[in-house]
Amino acid sequence: VIVSAAKLLAGEPDIHFVLIGNGQTSQESVGLAAELGLTNLEFACSRPVVDLAAKIKSFDLCLGIFGSTPKTQRVIPNKIYQALAMAKPVVSANTPAIKELFTDRENILLCRTADAADLAAKILLLKNDPALKQKIAQGGYQLYQEHCRPAVIAEKLLADLNIS
């Protein structure tokens, strides 16, 4: 989905995609990008956490999960939490798992699942609406601070287990 969105945005000279890691579909994605002749997409190997933080800091926005598998519907990937912790705006698919925690246009920007055209449109929306981009970044960071930091999660878990 991301590779196809990159193809749709190939005419935007200031939009460049960086896909980090070696996920389940990385080989397929590399092949598709080569087949499409994309020059606005870079594949980077997995990085140590320290290097990853520096790379995320350089991004204008971060991308979440977009597939159509059952797993996609059930998970919030770690990369979303990493982006939130660094106050980066996130675009992700509108899934049941994502909607359990997030509110569209408040702390995340949602697009249709497995829809490259909608993903491309949402990326352009944030590019062209700096106020919305900043609102989502700040809302995501606040959500992370209030609900997703390890200390907050541990406190809630201990409280749920009645351990103090």
Side-chain angles (χ1 to χ4, degrees):
V1 174
I2 295 170
V3 173
S4 296
K7 175 65 175 174
L8 293 170
L9 295 171
E12 296 286 331
D14 54 348
I15 295 179
H16 183 79
F17 293 79
V18 179
L19 299 181
I20 299 174
N22 300 313
Q24 296 171 336
T25 61
S26 60
Q27 292 298 347
E28 179 185 340
S29 297
V30 169
L32 179 59
E35 180 183 316
L36 296 173
L38 297 180
T39 58
N40 64 339
L41 184 111
E42 169 190 343
F43 291 93
C45 296
S46 296
R47 299 176 181 268
V49 173
V50 173
D51 294 343
L52 183 59
K55 194 70 172 168
I56 292 171
K57 186 177 182 181
S58 73
F59 296 152
D60 292 315
L61 64 91
C62 295
L63 301 176
I65 195 164
F66 300 97
S68 58
T69 67
K71 179 181 176 184
T72 301
Q73 303 300 307
R74 295 189 311 266
V75 302
I76 300 173
N78 192 50
K79 62 183 173 178
I80 291 180
Y81 296 110
Q82 292 168 330
L84 296 177
M86 297 191 68
K88 294 296 178 178
V90 174
V91 180
S92 193
N94 186 355
T95 68
I98 295 288
K99 291 192 305 189
E100 283 184 24
L101 184 62
F102 295 95
T103 303
D104 189 27
R105 295 179 180 256
E106 294 294 324
N107 44 40
I108 199 165
L109 186 60
L110 298 177
C111 67
R112 291 184 298 272
T113 302
D115 188 331
D118 196 35
L119 172 57
K122 296 300 169 42
I123 291 169
L124 283 175
L125 174 63
L126 290 184
K127 175 188 172 211
N128 296 320
D129 191 340
L132 178 61
K133 183 174 138 186
Q134 183 63 26
K135 175 185 175 185
I136 290 169
Q138 289 175 339
Y141 182 72
Q142 182 177 348
L143 178 83
Y144 177 83
Q145 291 296 318
E146 293 174 3
H147 300 285
C148 305
R149 287 182 304 112
V152 173
I153 293 169
E155 283 178 25
K156 181 170 178 8
L157 178 61
L158 292 174
D160 288 348
L161 295 172
N162 292 319
I163 300 174
S164 44

